[in-house]
């Protein structure tokens, strides 16, 4: 250190021997193209040190009598009850479809709610009641009948078959006419809140499904009355 510092300026003087050795090494490497690069030599030395350190560590572990050398850290020291709970959670998460259904059901139950402090008229039914569910099943059955019976009107059929189709058309048209007032007396969800008030139900139904229902019903009514 004293040789590299000038006593007058206090600055470090260049080490000529070191610089000369580095330059000579560079010339040697440039003169010998088959010589191993410096980066490769350094990598090889590092790998040798790592192998030696790992071998030394394995030797110490094998010949060590200490019990605490392979103990878990305190944050990993989990009790048996906690491990059982984690296993139960893992089993629940492994059932992907069931857990997804349960989560969606819980989310839906959390989001949907009934409007507080409102009277529930006896003639207004809930969309989840058995009465409304049975009515929806009849709606699906009526749609299937419409799909299969309507194309038959275009064919020349016997009088008996034509009469049966006409009666079926009357029944289906009457059912769709009754479906409109039934929709006016079914509670509806507005902003994830179930409303039982007739004014709210009427406003929501006229704004959403009523135009579509009338557009589908008017042609059937005209055809039935023309027959």
């Amino acid at each position: 250190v004293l040789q590299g510092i000038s006593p007058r300026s206090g600055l470090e003087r260049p080490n000529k021997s070191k610089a000369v050795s580095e330059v000579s090494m560079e010339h040697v490497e440039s003169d010998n193209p088959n010589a191993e690069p410096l980066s490769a030599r350094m990598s090889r030395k590092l790998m040798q040190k790592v192998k030696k350190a790992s071998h030394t560590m394995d030797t110490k572990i094998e010949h060590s009598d200490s019990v605490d050398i392979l103990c878990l850290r305190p944050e990993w020291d989990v009790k048996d009850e906690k491990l059982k709970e984690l296993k139960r959670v893992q089993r629940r998460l492994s059932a992907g479809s069931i857990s997804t259904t349960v989560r969606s059901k819980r989310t839906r139950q959390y989001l949907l709610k009934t409007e507080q402090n409102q009277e529930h008229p006896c003639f207004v039914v809930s969309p989840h009641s058995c009465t409304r569910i049975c009515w929806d099943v009849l709606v699906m059955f009526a749609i299937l009948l419409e799909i299969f019976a309507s194309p038959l009107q275009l064919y020349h059929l016997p009088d008996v078959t034509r009469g049966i189709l006409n009666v079926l058309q009357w029944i289906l048209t009457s059912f769709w006419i009754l479906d409109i007032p039934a929709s006016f007396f079914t509670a509806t969800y507005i902003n994830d809140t179930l409303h039982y008030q007739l004014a709210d139900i009427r406003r929501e139904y006229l704004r959403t499904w009523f135009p579509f229902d009338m557009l589908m019903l008017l042609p059937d009514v005209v055809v039935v009355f023309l027959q």
Side-chain angles (χ1 to χ4, degrees):
V1 174
L2 294 177
Q3 291 178 356
I5 300 176
S6 175
R8 294 183 179 179
S9 60
L11 299 177
E12 182 180 358
R13 293 184 299 178
N15 195 335
K16 294 182 179 181
S17 60
K18 184 178 180 181
V20 170
S21 61
E22 291 178 356
V23 172
S24 61
M25 289 294 295
E26 291 178 358
H27 283 295
V28 170
E29 291 181 358
S30 60
D31 293 338
N32 189 5
N34 297 325
E36 188 178 8
L38 180 61
S39 59
R41 291 200 304 271
M42 293 179 63
S43 300
R44 189 178 68 255
K45 290 180 180 179
L46 288 175
M47 289 299 298
Q48 291 176 356
K49 290 181 180 180
V50 170
K51 290 180 180 180
K52 184 177 180 181
S54 61
H55 180 71
T56 304
M57 186 180 298
D58 294 338
T59 305
K60 287 182 179 180
I61 292 175
E62 290 177 359
H63 297 84
S64 178
D65 297 332
S66 178
V67 181
D68 300 332
I69 190 170
L70 294 177
C71 288
L72 293 174
R73 296 174 62 180
E75 54 266 25
W76 290 99
D77 189 10
V78 184
K79 296 182 180 180
D80 294 340
E81 292 79 6
K82 187 64 176 179
L83 287 175
K84 292 180 181 178
E85 181 66 23
L86 291 175
K87 289 181 180 180
R88 285 195 292 268
V89 173
Q90 184 181 7
R91 285 196 297 269
R92 288 199 298 268
L93 293 178
S94 61
S97 59
I98 298 176
S99 62
T100 304
T101 305
V102 172
R103 286 197 299 270
S104 61
K105 184 176 180 182
R106 289 178 180 175
T107 304
R108 190 64 181 167
Q109 290 177 353
Y110 172 74
L111 291 176
L112 301 182
K113 55 187 178 181
T114 304
E115 187 179 3
Q116 301 295 330
N117 300 325
Q118 65 170 343
E119 297 180 358
H120 298 175
C122 59
F123 47 83
V124 176
V125 297
S126 171
H128 307 295
S129 62
C130 296
T131 304
R132 185 62 198 185
I133 292 175
C134 293
W135 185 265
D136 292 338
V137 172
L138 291 177
V139 168
M140 296 176 62
F141 184 69
I143 292 174
L144 293 176
L145 288 178
E146 289 277 4
I147 293 173
F148 288 104
S150 296
L152 297 178
Q153 300 288 342
L154 302 175
Y155 296 96
H156 296 285
L157 300 174
D159 294 337
V160 177
T161 307
R162 178 68 63 180
I164 294 174
L165 290 177
N166 291 335
V167 172
L168 184 61
Q169 187 67 34
W170 271 92
I171 294 174
L172 291 175
T173 304
S174 302
F175 177 80
W176 294 124
I177 292 174
L178 293 175
D179 184 61
I180 293 178
S183 300
F184 278 107
F185 293 98
T186 302
T188 183
Y189 282 101
I190 302 175
N191 296 328
D192 294 333
T193 303
L194 186 59
H195 290 259
Y196 283 88
Q197 297 298 327
L198 291 177
D200 298 333
I201 297 172
R202 181 178 65 252
R203 182 171 58 254
E204 186 68 15
Y205 180 58
L206 292 176
R207 189 178 62 86
T208 54
W209 284 100
F210 180 76
F212 178 77
D213 291 343
M214 291 300 299
L215 184 64
M216 299 298 295
L217 182 61
L218 284 177
D220 292 342
V221 174
V222 172
V223 170
V224 168
F225 279 100
L226 287 179
Q227 290 177 352

